[in-house]
Amino acid sequence: MTKRPEEIALLAESGRLLAAVFSHLDTLDLIGMSTMEVNDRVERMIVDTLRARPASKGQYGYAYALNSSRNQVVCHGVPSTDELLQDGDIVNFDITLEKNGYIADSSKTYLVGQVSTPAKRLVQVTYEAMWKGIKAVRPGARLGDVGHAIERHARRHGYSVVREYCGHGIGREMHEPPQVLHWGKPQTGLMLREGMVFTIEPMLNQGRHAVRTEDDGWTVVTCDGQLSAQFEHTVAVTRHGVRVLTLRPEEQMAT
């Protein structure tokens, strides 16, 4: 589960390119755009501009460059020409990118136009919860510490953490050991060591944590129809702490 320094350098390059994709999405006025249009823009940028590969396309038979998960969709939303982003929506774009054989994975929930205060609060707390988990990463810590930090922050603000989906190791394959749960007990679980690379990607729900998969076999939604939000970064355990490999330029101060 540990990567050599030269492998982490390649993963960091993939992460840098993926961060650039999100920086491009940040410039778009999403109102009125279809989620398929966003998908197509992302694919063109990854392939034509960055000379990389959208790693989710073809993985497990999935046909697109990203997942677009809007409002009550928790994860794995499928882009569509018929799904137009509306003023007041929240939407998560989950994107993977492979360069030189190594994969980076990240996601961000966007506020579309004028979003309600409760929806903004959910998105902000989800982002904070991800960072609580990231900041728990260091050699000698345990995965339970990471999950506990996330869940404690979510529960403190009245939200639930989705349990069916988790973070994962990543490298030459999109999904590698270990599984990274977003809840847990301190000082339990796998001990972290320098060179491990994995994703932290909590999904927080306004209501209950229960989810279900729709008939398309991909789209996961909240059972109670309330909103869900997610953020994700790929991180590496360093000698003294953690390095966020998919860190976006505007986040430099956030750390």
Side-chain angles (χ1 to χ4, degrees), residues 121-173:
R121 181 172 173 269
L122 171 67
V123 172
Q124 179 62 33
V125 171
T126 304
Y127 184 67
E128 293 168 357
M130 176 191 66
W131 279 105
K132 294 288 186 183
I134 290 171
K135 291 175 180 179
V137 174
R138 64 184 185 279
R142 294 182 178 272
L143 283 178
D145 301 327
V146 176
H148 176 73
I150 292 168
E151 185 177 36
R152 180 176 59 186
H153 191 71
R155 290 169 64 95
R156 183 176 293 161
H157 291 273
Y159 301 124
S160 60
V161 177
V162 173
R163 293 174 175 254
E164 285 81 354
Y165 301 93
C166 61
H168 50 87
I170 190 167
R172 286 189 173 275
E173 300 294 333

Side-chain angles (χ1 to χ4, degrees), residues 205-217:
N205 292 350
Q206 276 183 327
R208 296 181 291 115
H209 67 74
V211 301
R212 63 177 178 83
T213 303
E214 295 194 327
D215 292 342
D216 63 6

Side-chain angles (χ1 to χ4, degrees), residues 233-251:
H233 272 311
T234 298
V235 306
V237 184
T238 66
R239 181 173 303 177
H240 302 293
V242 62
R243 178 184 178 189
V244 182
L245 303 181
T246 48
L247 192 70
R248 298 184 287 274
E250 72 275 12
E251 294 182 295

